[in-house]
Amino acid sequence: MSFVSKKKLEPFDWVNYSLLALISFVCVFPFLYVFSVSFTDPQAYVPLKFYVFPEKWSLSAYKYILSTNSFVNALKSTVFITIIGTVLNVIVSFSLAYALTKKTMPGRGIMMGAVIFTLVFSAGIVPNYLLIKELGLLNSYWALIWPALTNAWSLIVIKSFLESLPSELEDSAKIDGCSDLGVFLRIVIPLSMPAIAAFTLFFAVAHWNTYFNALIYISDSKKWTLQVLVKTLVIDSDSNGVGQAGSGGDDRMVPQETIRMASIMLSMAPILVIYPFLQKHFAKGVMLGSVKG
C-alpha cells in the first residue's frame, strides 16, 4: 500500500502562482489583441477599440495579404533563407565541432582559440558591411547565410556533446576498417540525432526571425524577409509595401490596422505551430554537454 503525500499550499505559494498567472496574462494580452483585430471584419472594425474576440469574423485581411506580391515574395525569401541556411548551419557546425574534438588535428589549438576569440569580440557593423560589400553579396540572400554558417556558442556546445560520446565506439569502428569520414557519418551522426534536432530548431528560428542583417544588406524590396516587411507595415505605417500588387481598390476596403495585425500573425504562425511539438528539443539543447560521466 502506497501513501502519496500532498503538499499543502502556503500563502507564499498562492502569491507566487497569482503573480505568475498575472505575468502570463500580460504576455498573452498583446497576442490576443493582434489575433482578434486580424480576424475582425473590415465593416465591423472600430479603431482604438480592444477586441477580446472579433465581433464579426472575417478573413478579408488574410485574403488581401496573400493576394499581394510583396508578402508572397517575402515569404519565399524567408523560407529559402531558413531551409538553406539551417541545412548549411547543421553541416558546418557539426563537422567543424567534430574536427575540434580530435586532439591530433593540426592547428586545433589555433582554431579553437579563434572560436573563443569570436565569442568575446566581434568586428562590428561597419567592418561586416564592408566585408559583405567587397564579397559582392549585397542584395543577395547569401549575405544572410554565409556570415552565419556557425557561431562560437554552438560550436562549443556541440563539441562538448560530441566529446561525451563513448570513444570506444569510434575505436571499434576503425578496427573494422571504417575511415574517419565513415565514423562521423555512421557512428557520430546517428548518436547525435537529439543534438541535431535541437540545433536544427535553434538555427531555423534564428533564420526565420532574420531582421537586422536583412535590413542593412538587402535594399531591394522584392528580396525583403518577412520581418523587414512586417516592420515596414507596423512601424513605418506603409501598407503600400504589401499592397503594391493588390487587386484593384480592395485595399481601401480593408483597414490598414487589420492588414498589419494579419501580417504579424502570418509571420508568427509557422514557429507557433512547430514550436510546441519540438519544445522538448530546446530543453535538451540547453543541457547538451553539461553532464559528463
Side-chain angles (χ1 to χ4, degrees):
M1 183 176 181
S2 60
F3 296 92
V4 179
S5 59
K6 295 183 178 180
K7 179 182 178 181
K8 183 179 180 181
L9 294 179
E10 301 294 336
F12 172 78
D13 296 327
W14 288 106
V15 174
N16 193 24
Y17 294 151
S18 300
L19 288 176
L20 291 176
L22 179 61
I23 294 173
S24 301
F25 175 77
V26 171
C27 294
V28 173
F29 184 84
F31 293 97
L32 181 61
Y33 174 76
V34 171
F35 174 84
S36 301
V37 173
S38 67
F39 282 99
T40 299
D41 187 89
Q43 297 180 353
Y45 173 72
V46 178
L48 302 180
K49 179 180 178 181
F50 174 72
Y51 297 87
V52 177
F53 296 103
E55 296 181 0
K56 185 178 181 181
W57 293 80
S58 175
L59 295 174
S60 299
Y62 291 93
K63 291 179 180 178
Y64 171 73
I65 291 175
L66 294 176
S67 67
T68 61
N69 286 339
S70 296
F71 189 87
V72 174
N73 289 337
L75 181 61
K76 291 179 180 178
S77 300
T78 302
V79 170
F80 175 83
I81 293 169
T82 301
I83 294 177
I84 302 300
T86 301
V87 172
L88 292 178
N89 280 146
V90 172
I91 294 175
V92 172
S93 297
F94 276 84
S95 58
L96 181 55
Y98 179 69
L100 291 175
T101 61
K102 302 304 177 182
K103 297 181 180 180
T104 57
M105 186 185 72
R108 173 180 178 272
I110 297 176
M111 187 174 297
M112 195 63 200
V115 171
I116 297 175
F117 181 84
T118 60
L119 184 65
V120 181
F121 302 99
S122 62
I125 298 175
V126 175
N128 285 332
Y129 181 85
L130 294 176
L131 176 62
I132 296 298
K133 181 180 179 181
E134 291 298 322
L135 292 175
L137 297 178
L138 289 180
N139 276 325
S140 172
Y141 295 139
W142 297 107
L144 309 178
I145 297 176
W146 289 125
L149 283 179
T150 188
N151 58 77
W153 179 83
S154 298
L155 281 175
I156 292 174
V157 175
I158 295 173
K159 174 178 173 294
S160 180
F161 170 78
L162 295 179
E163 288 177 339
S164 67
L165 298 178
S167 59
E168 292 78 8
L169 294 176
E170 295 188 30
D171 296 337
S172 62
K174 290 183 178 179
I175 292 175
D176 292 336
C178 196
S179 63
D180 290 333
L181 181 60
V183 170
F184 178 68
L185 295 178
R186 298 180 182 181
I187 304 297
V188 176
I189 292 299
L191 292 176
S192 303
M193 291 310 297
I196 293 175
F199 277 93
T200 297
L201 202 53
F202 285 139
F203 294 138
V205 171
H207 283 295
W208 185 269
N209 292 329
T210 297
Y211 166 70
F212 186 74
N213 287 342
L215 186 64
I216 62 177
Y217 297 144
I218 307 296
S219 58
D220 186 357
S221 60
K222 294 181 180 180
K223 295 182 179 180
W224 279 353
T225 61
L226 276 178
Q227 309 308 325
V228 176
L229 183 64
V230 170
K231 174 260 180 187
T232 303
L233 288 172
V234 177
I235 299 180
D236 297 343
S237 301
D238 180 15
S239 63
N240 294 328
V242 165
Q244 288 174 356
S247 54
D250 291 344
D251 54 331
R252 299 179 182 177
M253 300 176 59
V254 183
Q256 293 184 6
E257 189 68 13
T258 59
I259 294 176
R260 297 189 189 108
M261 300 309 172
S263 65
I264 293 174
M265 289 300 302
L266 287 174
S267 65
M268 294 189 304
I271 300 301
L272 291 178
V273 171
I274 296 174
Y275 183 80
F277 298 99
L278 301 178
Q279 184 179 7
K280 60 181 180 180
H281 295 301
F282 272 99
K284 290 181 180 179
V286 174
M287 299 300 295
L288 286 179
S290 61
V291 179
K292 293 185 178 181

